Amino acid sequence: MALAPFEIRPGRDEDRLPLAILFAAISEERDGIASEPPVDVEKRAARWALEGMFVACAGDEIIGWIDVARSPHGYGEIGMAIAREWRGRGVGSALLEAAIAWARESGLHKLSLSVFPHNAAGIALYRKHGFVEEGLRAKQLRRSNGQLWDLVDMGLLLSCQDDEP
Ligand SMILES: CC(C)(COP(=O)(O)OP(=O)(O)OC[C@H]1O[C@@H](n2cnc3c(N)ncnc32)[C@H](O)[C@@H]1OP(=O)(O)O)[C@@H](O)C(=O)NCCC(=O)NCCS
């Protein structure tokens, strides 16, 4: 497939609202991300932490994001999503590569994330970039329809030191 014209750049303050609108749209799918509607767009816009945030843009439109929440314990926790019509075009890979590079530069020793077991695209994307399954949290999330969904934990070690207690 021809490369789609998109660019990856760090998130900015003015991205907050479009990001929150995209987040709300993806939550409507009730499938890949944990949040479900209703999303309070104004509150969500205010909550983004811009450190460790990268956005994918096509022209003026924000079509995806990845954020790395830096923990005080040296690892970063990833969240990401791509607008439905842009999936399968390499946007997720480009964002993940930017986040991994940022995490290395920032001295994080590990990246972690949680993904639903049915999210084949997500799991394949993370495996492709070196993440491995580390465990399953059974019936972790209660959905608005009452179902209890498992979560798969995945991780990518960026630097290794065997210093267990
Ligand atoms: C998961 C998600 C981020 C993937 O992003 P994307 O831009 O579609 O992924 P890419 O096009 O960069 O694909 C990268 C790799 O992922 C895998 N992949 C992508 N779509 C896939 C699919 N539908 N089925 C299986 N594997 C898939 C492939 O390994 C692909 O590499 P390849 O093109 O060399 O085969 C995207 O589907 C999404 O936003 N989903 C909804 C929200 C979500 O699930 N967020 C993650 C929560 S943990």
Side-chain angles (χ1 to χ4, degrees):
M1 192 187 293
L3 280 184
F6 65 86
E7 62 153 343
I8 307 295
R9 62 162 174 78
R12 303 176 191 143
D13 210 39
E14 62 267 29
D15 299 331
R16 290 178 177 281
L17 190 57
L19 276 168
I21 292 169
L22 178 58
F23 182 93
I26 293 173
S27 80
E28 299 274 349
E29 297 174 22
R30 298 179 192 271
D31 185 44
I33 63 173
S35 292
E36 293 182 87
V39 169
D40 183 326
V41 167
E42 298 289 330
K43 272 194 190 156
R44 191 67 195 80
R47 255 184 40 216
W48 296 108
L50 295 177
E51 194 209 8
M53 153 82 75
F54 293 87
V55 298
C57 304
D60 290 340
E61 190 192 356
I62 294 196
I63 57 168
W65 82 86
I66 191 163
D67 60 284
V68 184
R70 183 203 285 263
S71 98
H73 306 291
Y75 68 89
E77 189 83 27
I78 282 182
M80 71 182 299
I82 314 301
R84 189 193 274 274
E85 60 276 22
W86 278 89
R87 292 178 196 159
R89 300 205 215 173
V91 179
S93 270
L95 282 168
L96 194 52
E97 281 163 18
I100 292 170
W102 177 86
R104 285 188 197 283
E105 284 160 21
S106 306
L108 300 183
H109 74 278
K110 180 174 178 178
L111 286 170
S112 300
L113 58 87
S114 299
V115 56
F116 292 128
H118 64 256
N119 191 345
I123 291 173
L125 166 69
Y126 303 134
R127 280 190 186 142
K128 185 176 171 186
H129 291 272
F131 284 75
V132 294
E133 280 95 334
E134 296 184 328
L136 181 97
R137 286 189 274 165
K139 300 195 183 299
Q140 184 74 11
L141 293 194
R142 183 186 294 140
R143 308 295 287 171
S144 56
N145 65 4
Q147 292 178 348
L148 301 177
W149 286 11
D150 297 347
L151 277 179
V152 177
D153 286 335
M154 299 185 76
L156 174 69
L157 268 181
L158 301 171
S159 65
C160 207
Q161 237 181 299
D162 279 330
D163 287 336
E164 288 180 21

